[in-house]
Amino acid sequence: MSVKQQKNQMKLAFMTEEEVKPDSAANEGTETLIAERRPESPTSSRQLMEEILAEENLKEAMEKVKSNKGSPGIDGMSVGELQAYLKEHWTKLRSQLVEGTYKPQPVKRVEIPKPDGGKRKLGIPVVLDRFIQQAVMQVLQQYWDPTFSEYSYGFRPNRTAHQAVAQAQQYIAEGYSVVVDLDLEKFFDRVNHDKLMSRIAERVDDKRVLKLIRAYLNAGVMEDGLVSPTEEGTPQGGPLSPLLSNLLLDELDKELERRGHRFVRYADDSNIYVRSERSGQRVMESISEFITNQLKLKVNEQKSAVGKPHERKFLGFSFTDEAEPKRRIAPKSIDRFKERVRKITSRTRGVSLDRVVEELSIYLRGWNGYYGHCQTPEELKALNAWIRRRLRSYIWKQWKTWKTRFHELKRRRVRQGAIAQLLIHRPKGNWGASNHIAMKSALPNAYFRSLGLHELAVREDV
């Protein structure tokens, strides 16, 4: 295809129906295109691939891939090497995409630990495929996203997990005090390809795009040097998977809306709010049946349950059990937080206090950015106190000998009586000493602030 023909195709792709003239030689065959367009599926245009390959869309995709960074795929190419590779090979790659002959490479299978135990399987596409997937996703998302449910919050522009939690909180405040907490078992690993492709085909007529998406689904995974075919699932790790998951689960959202349920969904985590335990059990049974029969997915019976919102967690948060429920941090989230802080402040690390405080503050700032949206400042106050005690214990360990400890406490102008009480009675272990009045006097809160320790607090925008 010549450059001139490509430009003509691009121009045609962005023309409105009013601009397309059936009697124009340049528009041969477009009458059929217009007739086949479905108003509810704007992406049914047969020129969709050209829109994906538009210069501005590709530039945006490149910037996104660069900002996301990420590890190399099976070919070893890094994000930094992608641009030079495209300069050399883009003409050929573009022709393959336009002609529908492009073949993605298998993804690299890696496993990462899940917060609640076990392993989560991720698929890392090669950088080139991440770039192409990103370009496809950007175009499809702008058409599909406006058609998705108002109560779906995951992987969508201008929507956050905090908005999802706030919506759940509103339902509870309105008297829907029982939650049907649905967890889909290994969702990203079990997506039915035929079911997903049929949903995509309802919205996309460009066979090249359909073929490309199918190729990504079937690209296979490489694990321990061996490539295995993928007959189901959308590997987590690629830019396109979240959008495809939302498309498939939009069918669940629409069914819940049709039944008049109050619900909120974030990715594969769905909560439905009802007024009674009996209603909750009925909803759990009927919706589980819908998910199994219609979506060809499986509900995780061990993790799914009907219960009180304050007994369940949603996106790391829970709620207080009162007439006007407040957002609080779920106990499991606090447990994971403490586990991480314990590792950073481990007394056997043998690194300087300044380095410990620096690492700790980086983690605390990120954690506070998310969990600072709670409405229970007393929880954060208690965690701050616990963190300082961990650091006092770390310092007590560093002082090592009783002689050093005596001089350090005296140097910090701790009262003689408090020093004597600490050294004579010798509280059990470093942890016991860290809570003594002498240590609190020697290392007050202001001392840790002077080191730059980040303090947890409810965010001002909550």
Side-chain angles (χ1 to χ4, degrees), residues 212-241:
L212 178 62
I213 295 175
R214 172 70 85 167
Y216 275 120
L217 293 176
N218 296 336
V221 296
M222 177 176 282
E223 195 169 12
D224 299 326
L226 298 174
V227 176
S228 303
T230 46
E231 298 176 353
E232 61 179 3
T234 59
Q236 284 179 276
L240 195 52
S241 290

Side-chain angles (χ1 to χ4, degrees), residues 43 96 106 132 135 138 181-182 192 226 231 270 321 426 460:
T43 49
Q96 291 174 349
I132 296 171
Q138 287 169 181
D181 187 353
L182 285 168
N192 182 283
L226 298 174
E231 298 176 353
S270 297
D321 185 20
R426 297 193 178 190
E460 293 180 0

Side-chain angles (χ1 to χ4, degrees), residues 153-281:
Y153 293 87
F155 310 126
R156 298 184 62 189
N158 305 314
R159 285 175 170 256
T160 67
H162 297 128
Q163 291 172 339
V165 174
Q167 179 64 66
Q169 183 180 10
Q170 182 179 325
Y171 290 143
I172 300 165
E174 291 171 355
Y176 295 87
S177 56
V178 174
V179 60
V180 180
D181 187 353
L182 285 168
D183 183 273
L184 300 181
E185 189 172 296
K186 297 181 179 179
F187 168 72
F188 284 94
D189 296 330
R190 292 188 169 172
V191 169
N192 182 283
H193 287 180
D194 291 335
K195 176 69 177 177
L196 176 58
M197 288 305 303
S198 70
R199 295 285 291 162
I200 298 171
E202 291 173 3
R203 296 171 178 248
V204 174
D205 280 351
D206 192 324
K207 287 183 171 56
R208 298 166 300 176
V209 176
L210 292 173
K211 187 177 179 181
L212 178 62
I213 295 175
R214 172 70 85 167
Y216 275 120
L217 293 176
N218 296 336
V221 296
M222 177 176 282
E223 195 169 12
D224 299 326
L226 298 174
V227 176
S228 303
T230 46
E231 298 176 353
E232 61 179 3
T234 59
Q236 284 179 276
L240 195 52
S241 290
L243 179 63
L244 298 183
S245 70
N246 268 338
L247 176 65
L248 183 63
L249 291 176
D250 186 60
E251 189 172 342
L252 172 61
D253 298 339
K254 295 299 193 290
E255 178 65 15
L256 292 173
E257 288 177 351
R258 187 186 68 79
R259 298 186 187 189
H261 288 310
R262 286 156 179 80
F263 73 97
V264 57
R265 181 175 67 80
Y266 192 95
D268 57 337
D269 198 348
S270 297
N271 277 6
I272 307 166
Y273 292 85
V274 297
R275 292 189 183 274
S276 71
E277 180 83 16
R278 176 183 280 185
S279 295
Q281 294 295 346

